[in-house]
Amino acid sequence: MENNLVLYNTLTRKKEKFKPLNEPFVGMYVCGPTVYSDVHLGNCRTFVSFDMIFRYLQHLGYRVRYVRNITDAGHLEGDRDEGEDKFSKKAKLEQLEPMEIVQKYTLGFHDVLRLFNTLPPSIEPTATGHISEQIEMVQQIIENGYAYERNGTVYFDVDKYTNAYDYTILTNRKLDDLLNNTRELGGQDEKQGRLDFALWIKAKPEHIMRWPSPWSIGFPGWHIECSAMSNKYLGAQFDIHGGGMDLAATHHTNEIAQSEACNHVQPAQYWMHTNMLTVNGARMSKSAGNGFLPHELFTGEHKLLTQGFSPMAVRFFMMQAHYRSTLDFSNEALIAADKGYKRLMTAIELLEKVRPNSEKASSEFEINKFKTRCYAAMDDDFNTPVLIAELFEAVRYINAAYDGKATIDADTISALKDSMHIFVSDILGLDASAETTSTDNVDDLMQIIIKIRNEAKKNKDFTTSDRIRESLNAIGIKLKDSKDDTLWNKI
Ligand code: AMP
Ligand code: ZN
């Protein structure tokens, strides 16, 4: 299959021509969320980026099997195979079963991703649903000589592995530096080597989520689930493995080690990493407590925000940055993105009303060259900011044609409609139907409703004002009162 796509491979630190192992099929594995709490906007950025990549590969004609897992077990508080299990801890806190926690946050995750108009992956396997596959993989790694058991816990033998393979291949760090940055082993440690990590962990009596295995009643280590599930659904070797950049140094490094120790081959041809969403330059993370919840953004209920933003405006904000660049989150940046998004959508609506004013195609805007440039942007490692800049060239032309300041013929109008649909809706995933300028009308109506409610409040008719608020809530519209204004948002 012909394609001009070039993508940046973290593994080789180069842009490479995209050539799937088994055309026209593409296997893509993306590390999914850990569902013991709500996803924050940073997590969403990674999933929205891979959604755009999934969409573009499908647009090029590939049959993509997109596997994105749900991590619902095996995460301990510390990243050194120690500490309390995050799921059990949250379960105790919320007085729920660990699997109720998993269900609650999985549903929340799906709701949020639906609002961002992401396509569901082809398979969404869970760690707890694949315990036997993980045990089998650990057994194979032991058989191949790259893991050992100590008191019911199984460790990956990094020393042994480094004799045959390159442990730091993904990040190109120096093994000595890694060793120097890792705590020395004490007499208490079961591990043989400082860099060894657990594949299977014997459960302490208080650990609720536990399964039988040949070594102990226990639970899988942090990394083995992705190796086992990608192997099961995409094979020992597949095309793309993705996730956030923060996963490369440990999680993905260990995934490569596990898969190679088991199958003797590098699991993925292309490793793709999305860069971080930051707040004032610091990575947005669950542990740092600087995580914005998508819901806070949609309602505007956050101290750093002066207004709410629609999910599509937020998606546009994300698409304005290249997936490998950091994206700093701020009220001002979102207001600018919101404006840009509305300008784009207004032009698409306007295009429906533009009538040909010439027999000949315009020389000011050459539609075929425009399309070529749009594809060139996407083919250059999914360069969405360049694509958006191109789309704004079209916006300027549409506005000028509408105002009668540029010539346009019927064929150009129809080709422009097609292109805008392909690039804006199919590829960038900006759903025009969810957010058109017809909301301007809704806004007019909302201003009338808000006025009636404010009058009711002024007359101390709180029954009416509360009823208005509640009825709006029931249809997904939230009001936010400030000192001298009432704002509204779709939730
Ligand atoms: P987690 O639920 O923490 O396992 O993370 C789910 C996904 O979100 C992983 O691919 C992470 O790399 C990614 N991620 C976490 N924090 C951020 C951030 N601030 N910006 C972008 N992606 C992130
Ligand atoms: Zn993973």
Side-chain angles (χ1 to χ4, degrees):
M1 222 164 109
E2 272 304 298
N3 80 72
N4 296 317
L5 178 61
V6 166
L7 51 81
Y8 182 84
N9 189 352
T10 320
L11 197 63
T12 54
R13 284 159 278 279
K14 278 201 293 263
K15 280 190 187 173
E16 293 174 10
K17 175 126 188 48
F18 181 61
K19 177 106 188 60
L21 293 164
N22 185 21
E23 303 214 47
F25 301 98
V26 171
M28 175 161 96
Y29 188 95
V30 172
C31 291
T34 312
V35 286
Y36 67 89
S37 63
D38 288 311
V39 279
H40 57 64
L41 203 69
N43 303 130
C44 294
R45 181 190 184 197
T46 287
F47 300 125
V48 167
S49 297
F50 280 103
D51 179 64
M52 172 275 292
I53 289 166
F54 179 39
R55 282 167 176 275
Y56 190 56
L57 292 173
Q58 293 197 111
H59 175 76
L60 291 180
Y62 289 109
R63 293 185 51 190
V64 187
R65 183 179 292 165
Y66 173 21
V67 183
R68 187 184 66 208
N69 67 302
I70 294 278
T71 295
D72 59 352
H75 259 239
L76 300 182
E77 291 269 89
D79 49 4
R80 301 184 44 83
D81 308 322
E82 329 157 307
E84 206 179 338
D85 172 52
K86 287 176 179 170
F87 295 93
S88 310
K89 189 176 171 187
K90 198 59 180 282
K92 271 187 226 155
L93 213 67
E94 297 195 15
Q95 294 187 314
L96 294 171
E97 268 292 308
M99 283 319 267
E100 283 182 286
I101 292 290
V102 165
Q103 175 74 348
K104 175 177 166 183
Y105 292 110
T106 303
L107 291 177
F109 168 64
H110 286 158
D111 284 347
V112 166
L113 284 202
R114 208 171 302 118
L115 284 173
F116 279 124
N117 198 31
T118 61
L119 302 171
S122 329
I123 306 178
E124 197 168 36
T126 62
T128 56
H130 295 76
I131 299 292
S132 60
E133 286 83 352
Q134 297 178 69
I135 291 175
E136 265 172 43
M137 192 160 199
V138 176
Q139 273 173 317
Q140 188 63 53
I141 297 174
I142 297 176
E143 220 166 275
N144 292 353
Y146 292 105
Y148 56 91
E149 188 221 322
R150 290 281 181 280
N151 305 318
T153 293
V154 181
Y155 293 101
F156 189 89
D157 189 341
V158 175
D159 255 357
K160 178 86 185 288
Y161 174 78
T162 50
N163 290 335
Y165 299 95
D166 182 359
Y167 182 60
T168 57
I169 190 164
L170 192 58
T171 51
N172 210 17
R173 291 163 301 173
K174 293 211 165 54
L175 200 59
D176 282 346
D177 292 345
L178 268 191
L179 276 165
N180 291 337
N181 286 330
T182 319
R183 176 169 61 82
E184 291 224 28
L185 293 177
Q188 298 289 317
D189 280 297
E190 291 170 340
K191 291 180 189 180
Q192 271 170 212
R194 272 198 242 180
L195 297 175
D196 294 359
F197 56 91
L199 298 175
W200 183 265
I201 302 167
K202 181 180 171 176
K204 296 214 172 84
E206 67 276 13
H207 198 99
I208 316 171
M209 296 175 87
R210 45 170 67 211
W211 294 266
S213 79
W215 316 285
S216 62
I217 293 183
F219 56 96
W222 181 23
H223 318 290
I224 194 78
E225 67 174 280
C226 290
S227 294
M229 293 190 284
S230 61
N231 190 41
K232 173 163 175 141
Y233 296 111
L234 300 173
Q237 278 196 300
F238 52 95
D239 299 297
I240 298 175
H241 193 312
M245 244 172 215
D246 57 320
L247 298 184
T250 308
H251 182 55
H252 290 164
T253 290
N254 290 347
E255 256 191 66
I256 293 177
Q258 291 165 157
S259 295
E260 282 190 320
C262 180
N263 300 321
H264 306 293
V265 285
Q266 167 68 248
Q269 281 208 84
Y270 308 98
W271 282 83
M272 296 185 69
H273 291 98
T274 51
N275 212 326
M276 297 291 106
L277 186 76
T278 56
V279 188
N280 295 324
R283 182 190 141 198
M284 188 178 281
S285 82
K286 284 176 193 167
S287 48
N290 62 353
F292 273 71
L293 299 181
H295 177 77
E296 293 171 323
L297 225 82
F298 305 152
T299 59
E301 278 171 12
H302 191 285
K303 59 181 188 314
L304 290 182
L305 299 178
T306 54
Q307 65 174 85
F309 299 93
S310 73
M312 285 303 98
V314 179
R315 185 169 173 129
F316 180 82
F317 166 69
M318 293 173 179
M319 292 291 118
Q320 272 186 315
H322 189 262
Y323 76 89
R324 281 193 294 114
S325 310
T326 53
L327 173 61
D328 203 46
F329 175 91
S330 71
N331 189 50
E332 292 67 39
L334 276 159
I335 288 176
D338 189 48
K339 273 202 190 118
Y341 174 69
K342 286 186 176 134
R343 238 185 104 215
L344 178 62
M345 287 310 176
T346 307
I348 291 174
E349 263 211 344
L350 225 50
L351 193 53
E352 294 300 324
K353 299 183 194 145
V354 173
R355 297 283 165 261
N357 57 16
S358 161
E359 296 280 299
K360 273 202 333 228
S362 160
S363 55
E364 296 149 65
F365 186 83
E366 293 177 69
I367 183 75
N368 288 332
K369 287 190 179 158
F370 164 72
K371 271 202 308 215
T372 307
R373 290 196 306 269
C374 289
Y375 277 111
M378 287 306 290
D379 283 339
D380 182 14
D381 195 26
F382 310 96
N383 201 330
T384 55
V386 170
L387 170 65
I388 289 174
E390 291 298 344
L391 293 174
F392 276 105
E393 289 295 321
V395 166
R396 268 186 284 281
Y397 175 61
I398 294 167
N399 290 339
Y402 182 75
D403 292 340
K405 291 180 186 142
T407 56
I408 195 161
D409 68 329
D411 287 348
T412 306
I413 294 177
S414 123
L416 255 176
K417 281 183 189 167
D418 274 359
S419 298
M420 293 308 256
H421 187 80
I422 289 173
F423 290 103
V424 176
S425 170
D426 293 353
I427 295 173
L428 292 177
L430 299 167
D431 181 6
S433 63
E435 197 81 18
T436 61
T437 45
S438 59
T439 45
D440 289 345
N441 249 341
V442 178
D443 192 49
D444 292 341
L445 290 174
M446 282 306 300
Q447 295 314 323
I448 296 170
I449 296 171
I450 287 169
K451 202 162 157 226
I452 295 172
R453 177 170 166 269
N454 287 348
E455 276 165 15
K457 266 169 67 177
K458 222 164 94 195
N459 298 332
K460 302 211 176 332
D461 177 5
F462 297 115
T463 320
T464 304
S465 66
D466 286 349
R467 219 169 84 204
I468 292 175
R469 173 192 280 276
E470 280 152 22
S471 310
L472 288 172
N473 257 335
I475 57 163
I477 293 178
K478 206 164 169 67
L479 297 181
K480 186 183 175 191
D481 292 316
S482 66
K483 212 161 72 241
D484 32 38
D485 214 353
T486 302
L487 300 172
W488 71 274
N489 272 107
K490 281 201 238 157
I491 316 173

